[in-house]
Amino acid sequence: MASNEPKKDSGGGGGGGFFASVVSGLSNFGSAMTKSVNGLLGYEGLEVINPEGSTEDAEEEAKRGRWKQEVSSYVNGLCIIVSPCDSLYGKEQSVNVVVRKGDIDQFKLERDGYWKMMQKYVGSDVQSMVILPVLIFEPMTMVQKVAELMEYSYLLDMADKCEDPYMRLVYSSSWAISVYYAYQRTWKPFNPILGETYEMVNHNGITFIAEQVSHHPPMSAAHAENEHFSYDMTSKLKTKFLGNSIDIYPVGRTRVTFKRDGVVHELVPPLTKVNNLIFGRTWVDSPGEMIMTNLTTGDKVVLYFQPCGWFGSGRYEVDGYVYNAAEEPKILMTGKWNESMSYQVCDPEGEPLPGTELKEVWKLADPPKNDKFQYTHFAHKINSFDTAPKKLLASDSRLRSDRYALENGDLSKAGSEKSRLEERQRAEKRTREAKGHQFSPRWFDITNEITPTPWGELEVYQYNGKYTEHRAVADSSDSVEEINPMTTEFNPWQYEDSAAK
């Protein structure tokens, strides 16, 4: 049977397979297979849900996975197992694992035992699994990754200037689609530390702030604005583990308010599926509907992300319509989320109007070639201090010692620093519980609002405006502080003395 794996695309997004990044010998093969599947998504310990209320479908899908057959040859009393797998940079290669002949049976036992162990996690909570090594990380955290949505924010500027309510939805939905090229990377971002922040300036007049507002469940909140729009987001991911894949349910609320007239657009994105999580080349797809609704008028755009078919057919394709409040089609939209989006005015039947033509509204900027982490130019920009404001908050992701070490290729230090920060976070939690305190975010406040989403209810955080005041004071200061990540300590901590506990 042919493999249901997409054809490799030179456009990027390829990452190493699950095992390619952790296999170095049989001695660590079994332990590598028990690493956290949630780690690939940016969080360990995510709640796992089954929206259908059972595990039958999950078990069926899990059984589709198959171990690739090992080719064995014996050399001077040793067995060399050659297993085809993906390299860290997306290229197929053979990984040679040299073991003693007597270890083969143990290898098979560990392999079979692992699969039996994984089956019991299907459709259930997987937070007991351990954390993945930094070898498969990218030098970015999840709160930084939120800022990637701002790369093509000029589309929101155009929406604010636009008088046509339907074209406004064309611009805002194209903006929402534009980030999916960046989101297809399979490198694992660092988990945010509670209270960690990310600030961004020097891009399209935007002031951006994101904060990790909860650790269990992992939640982040973000706010951005310029002269044309304000953006507000609360995010709480949920997942469904299916054996060789995992579904990511974007439980959250994303709203854009246009400053010219106060019109609000609300986004409901499709789920995302990470395929070949354990067997084969890991790849990401986002099949389903994306809906952007004008909460002021009731107009909306519904775009369908085509699922990837056999041999990669249909992958990346997006099609749909802008509808008025009476659900009559007004504008058709089509394109690929990794290339460009176009639109054309249509008749009530959804057919293009005579005398009109398809016009491009968004096109992907050329990405760097052969980039180690498949970063876009913008990803490099937000990861640098060029987009950092004056008097950068000490809790900013750029200052994390583990992230900075990985960016500079020091995996050993990145691993040890990651462990140190995580232990400090656990110490903070113990201190907080001992004192009977609750964590309070600095830049966002929890509200009493519980909003429904297609995948569960969401507790909403709102921007409290304090960062705007903080930034105004900092920007008016005459002092210019040089940021040195080697000497500036990352500090999101609530208690100064918790490191020793």
Side-chain angles (χ1 to χ4, degrees):
M1 179 180 290
S3 172
N4 185 15
E5 179 174 317
K7 289 189 283 189
K8 290 183 179 136
D9 192 295
S10 61
F18 182 85
F19 288 123
S21 58
V22 292
V23 172
S24 61
L26 186 61
S27 61
N28 68 353
F29 194 80
S31 62
M33 290 188 290
T34 60
K35 302 301 181 183
S36 165
V37 294
N38 272 346
L40 290 173
L41 315 177
Y43 294 107
E44 283 81 32
L46 288 181
E47 180 184 359
V48 176
I49 62 170
N50 186 336
E52 289 77 22
S54 69
T55 61
E56 292 179 2
D57 60 331
E59 291 170 354
E60 181 179 351
E61 180 165 342
K63 292 175 183 176
R64 296 176 188 166
R66 293 291 184 268
W67 290 86
K68 293 184 179 179
Q69 184 175 5
E70 300 88 11
V71 180
S72 302
S73 61
Y74 292 92
V75 180
N76 296 327
L78 296 179
C79 173
I80 303 177
I81 301 176
V82 183
S83 299
C85 65
D86 301 329
S87 75
L88 286 174
Y89 308 106
K91 297 180 180 179
E92 294 281 341
Q93 66 175 16
S94 292
V95 177
N96 298 337
V97 185
V98 182
V99 298
R100 298 183 183 281
K101 187 186 301 184
D103 288 338
I104 297 302
D105 290 339
Q106 180 63 30
F107 167 78
K108 292 179 178 178
L109 285 173
E110 289 186 1
R111 179 193 66 183
D112 295 341
Y114 169 71
W115 183 238
K116 290 179 181 178
M117 181 273 290
M118 291 300 292
Q119 284 181 315
K120 73 180 181 181
Y121 288 110
V122 171
S124 64
D125 197 336
V126 294
Q127 61 183 326
S128 60
M129 296 183 184
V130 297
I131 300 171
L132 285 165
V134 295
L135 188 63
I136 64 168
F137 280 46
E138 62 175 320
M140 185 180 290
T141 77
M142 279 301 294
V143 290
Q144 280 181 285
K145 204 173 180 74
V146 174
E148 289 197 77
L149 191 57
M150 293 294 119
E151 178 170 4
Y152 299 96
S153 60
Y154 72 86
L155 290 165
L156 297 180
D157 295 350
M158 294 174 70
D160 182 56
K161 298 173 186 177
C162 184
E163 297 286 347
D164 186 330
Y166 308 126
M167 278 304 301
R168 273 188 150 183
L169 285 165
V170 170
Y171 289 128
S172 64
S173 60
S174 297
W175 162 77
I177 287 171
S178 68
V179 76
Y180 278 83
Y181 179 84
Y183 281 1
Q184 69 177 328
R185 296 195 303 266
T186 54
W187 293 95
K188 177 194 181 301
F190 283 91
N191 299 335
I193 299 294
L194 185 62
E196 180 177 330
T197 59
Y198 177 75
E199 302 175 80
M200 182 179 71
V201 295
N202 302 330
H203 174 71
N204 195 28
I206 291 172
T207 298
F208 178 95
I209 180 69
E211 183 175 12
Q212 188 70 3
V213 295
S214 172
H215 187 58
H216 290 296
M219 295 181 67
S220 56
H223 175 81
E225 63 179 292
N226 65 6
E227 63 177 321
H228 292 291
F229 70 88
S230 63
Y231 155 88
D232 291 281
M233 182 276 296
T234 301
S235 175
K236 180 177 72 173
L237 296 180
K238 287 189 178 181
T239 66
K240 177 184 176 185
F241 178 52
L242 298 170
N244 196 32
S245 65
I246 192 164
D247 288 352
I248 310 166
Y249 297 91
V251 180
R253 190 175 79 178
T254 298
R255 288 182 173 178
V256 177
T257 303
F258 297 106
K259 293 189 174 181
R260 181 171 63 84
D261 53 11
V263 167
V264 178
H265 286 188
E266 181 173 85
L267 172 69
V268 178
L271 63 83
T272 293
K273 192 178 188 73
V274 182
N275 301 277
N276 293 346
L277 191 65
I278 301 169
F279 317 111
R281 179 175 179 269
T282 304
W283 58 282
V284 179
D285 201 17
S286 297
E289 288 184 342
M290 168 186 284
I291 303 173
M292 181 76 83
T293 303
N294 183 329
L295 298 182
T296 307
T297 65
D299 305 329
K300 64 182 178 181
V301 55
V302 181
L303 298 172
Y304 184 69
F305 285 56
Q306 299 288 341
C308 180
W310 292 103
F311 307 109
S313 65
R315 193 183 183 199
Y316 311 117
E317 293 180 5
V318 181
D319 299 284
Y321 292 93
V322 176
Y323 298 91
N324 62 15
E327 298 192 353
E328 300 168 330
K330 291 294 184 180
I331 299 176
L332 66 85
M333 295 183 66
T334 186
K336 292 185 176 182
W337 53 258
N338 70 329
E339 291 181 5
S340 64
M341 288 298 297
S342 298
Y343 70 94
Q344 188 171 4
V345 178
C346 65
D347 63 23
E349 301 301 320
E351 296 298 324
L353 282 178
T356 65
E357 60 181 10
L358 201 63
K359 296 181 179 180
E360 187 176 80
V361 64
W362 164 77
K363 184 177 180 179
L364 180 77
D366 291 335
K369 294 182 178 179
N370 303 317
D371 190 81
K372 179 178 181 180
F373 295 104
Q374 293 84 46
Y375 276 8
T376 62
H377 289 290
F378 185 70
H380 284 290
K381 183 178 179 180
I382 68 173
N383 216 25
S384 75
F385 287 91
D386 294 338
T387 53
K390 293 172 58 177
K391 295 187 176 180
L392 183 69
L393 294 170
S395 51
D396 193 89
S397 302
R398 299 177 185 85
L399 298 174
R400 283 186 56 154
S401 51
D402 50 358
R403 188 213 64 79
Y404 187 72
L406 180 61
E407 188 175 37
N408 286 278
D410 191 339
L411 271 69
S412 177
K413 184 174 182 181
S416 62
E417 287 300 297
K418 175 176 174 288
S419 297
R420 181 182 67 82
L421 292 174
E422 289 169 347
E423 179 52 40
R424 175 76 182 263
Q425 181 168 227
R426 287 188 284 269
E428 282 260 308
K429 181 182 178 182
R430 292 192 293 269
T431 301
R432 190 178 301 112
E433 291 175 346
K435 294 178 178 291
H437 293 170
Q438 295 290 327
F439 174 78
S440 296
R442 186 175 178 184
W443 311 114
F444 297 86
D445 295 333
I446 184 70
T447 69
N448 294 324
E449 183 178 0
I450 305 294
T451 187
T453 78
W455 305 285
E457 293 184 335
L458 174 73
E459 306 84 6
V460 177
Y461 283 79
Q462 68 177 8
Y463 177 60
N464 58 24
K466 294 179 181 178
Y467 179 76
T468 302
E469 299 171 4
H470 162 81
R471 181 52 41 213
V473 172
D475 290 345
S476 64
S477 173
D478 293 332
S479 64
V480 178
E481 298 180 6
E482 191 71 24
I483 302 169
N484 186 344
M486 299 293 292
T487 58
T488 305
E489 183 179 0
F490 174 64
N491 183 13
W493 314 115
Q494 185 176 2
Y495 307 104
E496 292 298 327
D497 60 345
S498 61
K501 297 185 179 181

